[in-house]
Amino acid sequence: MRRGTRPARSALPFRQVRRTRTVERERWQPTTWTARWRRQGTLAGVSCATWGHGPFGRLPDRREWQGALARVWPTRASKSVEARGWVRETPTVRDHMEVSRGLWLRRWSAGDVPAVLTAFADPLMRGQATEPVTSVEAAERWVSSQSQRWRAGSAFAFAVVDGQDTVLGNVAVGAIDRRHGTGWVSYWVTRAARGNGVASRACRSLARWSFDDAGLVRLELGHRVNNPASCGVARAAGFAVEGLQRQKLEYDGVRFDVEMHARLATDADPDRITTV
């Protein structure tokens, strides 16, 4: 290779170099991570010898980089690293999809603030948010938090809407553990939408999305034992009962047992079960 020429990108090991633009020219220089790798011989506590032979070993591949970066900076990996285009911590996923005829799931947006405020005005919605949603500002914070968690890849919340884009409820998968492929499912519907199977249909679609798009393997959810409606939604969405957590929650000085449900990616899809 002649001096002053730039090597072909395809000829370079993955993430070995990065391109830095200057006013006069383009030049190539080792990344901070690569420099640290070769200087210290370790990354995230793993010896470079683990990935090859020789004095420095080979550079890790894409999956190995992703795991190492996640161990060093779990939250920063989805921001600075993804912003530089090194590693995509959060997979590309659909942000809207059709549940059934006239029923859709889509991401929450700023225009949903009035609908959120109306939904949380229902006394039965108490406890569905970390803070009371009793003002426009609180509703804006609630919607903003859903977007922040989506971008970070820690939770994915969908607004359940009808054909006229009227908000009927919410389904979400949060507490995502990428290492173990698990997530926690939650859901609620507005007063006008209850009793029509909206929650169960939306929850089934969310489960398929979590397995197919988010790459999760196990989904969990729980409900108070005095909430048979929520239990019916879980069962209709294919979540099997796994046990009881005694006196886990407290409301108004009264403690409640919580029934646990779970669904695996290998479990039968309720929408595809045929009876003979």
Side-chain angles (χ1 to χ4, degrees):
M1 182 175 65
R2 299 192 307 274
R3 183 178 181 181
T5 61
R6 189 182 67 189
R9 190 175 182 84
S10 60
L12 296 169
F14 179 75
R15 307 306 181 201
Q16 183 177 0
V17 294
R18 72 178 177 189
R19 184 170 58 186
T20 302
R21 290 185 177 274
T22 62
V23 177
E24 302 85 4
R25 57 188 172 87
E26 289 184 353
R27 61 190 177 87
W28 292 76
Q29 65 181 20
T31 65
T32 302
W33 288 101
T34 304
R36 183 182 301 178
W37 176 268
R38 297 199 180 282
R39 183 175 64 255
Q40 298 180 356
T42 61
L43 179 62
V46 179
S47 171
C48 59
T50 303
W51 285 307
H53 303 286
F56 298 108
R58 66 173 177 82
L59 289 172
D61 60 23
R62 184 184 182 88
R63 290 184 179 276
E64 293 163 342
W65 271 106
Q66 184 174 1
L69 289 175
R71 287 192 294 272
V72 176
W73 281 336
T75 56
R76 188 170 178 178
S78 60
K79 297 180 180 179
S80 62
V81 175
E82 182 177 354
R84 290 179 170 86
W86 295 348
V87 175
R88 185 177 295 277
E89 183 72 10
T90 303
T92 302
V93 296
R94 292 172 292 167
D95 59 3
H96 66 281
M97 53 189 163
E98 186 175 14
V99 175
S100 59
R101 186 177 181 85
L103 195 64
W104 293 79
L105 299 184
R106 64 162 174 79
R107 286 184 65 174
W108 288 95
S109 66
D112 297 322
V113 169
V116 170
L117 185 59
T118 301
F120 278 95
D122 184 354
L124 293 179
M125 290 289 292
R126 189 168 60 102
Q128 292 290 340
T130 55
E131 67 166 311
V133 183
T134 57
S135 64
V136 174
E137 292 76 15
E140 289 174 345
R141 288 193 296 272
W142 188 91
V143 172
S144 176
S145 67
Q146 309 310 315
S147 298
Q148 292 173 2
R149 294 187 184 112
W150 186 294
R151 289 193 297 269
S154 60
F156 300 94
F158 290 90
V160 186
V161 298
D162 61 13
Q164 287 73 44
D165 202 39
T166 301
V167 173
L168 303 178
N170 171 74
V171 289
V173 55
I176 293 177
D177 187 331
R178 293 290 180 187
R179 177 183 178 186
H180 300 292
T182 61
W184 181 268
V185 172
S186 59
Y187 44 83
W188 54 261
V189 294
T190 60
R191 182 192 298 270
R194 292 171 191 157
N196 299 319
V198 171
S200 58
R201 285 182 286 161
C203 195
R204 286 197 295 266
S205 292
L206 175 71
R208 286 195 299 271
W209 179 92
S210 300
F211 298 141
D212 298 340
D213 289 45
L216 301 182
V217 177
R218 174 183 168 88
L219 299 177
E220 303 170 345
L221 65 83
H223 63 83
R224 288 180 293 175
V225 293
N226 65 338
N227 189 350
S230 184
C231 183
V233 170
R235 289 176 179 271
F239 286 74
V241 177
E242 287 198 337
L244 189 71
Q245 293 182 317
R246 297 180 299 163
Q247 299 188 15
K248 181 179 181 180
L249 302 178
E250 179 183 356
Y251 293 98
D252 299 326
V254 179
R255 300 205 67 87
F256 295 90
D257 295 344
V258 172
E259 187 173 72
M260 299 297 299
H261 296 248
R263 177 175 166 181
L264 304 179
T266 54
D267 288 345
D269 191 330
D271 287 334
R272 298 171 185 171
I273 295 178
T274 59
T275 57
V276 180

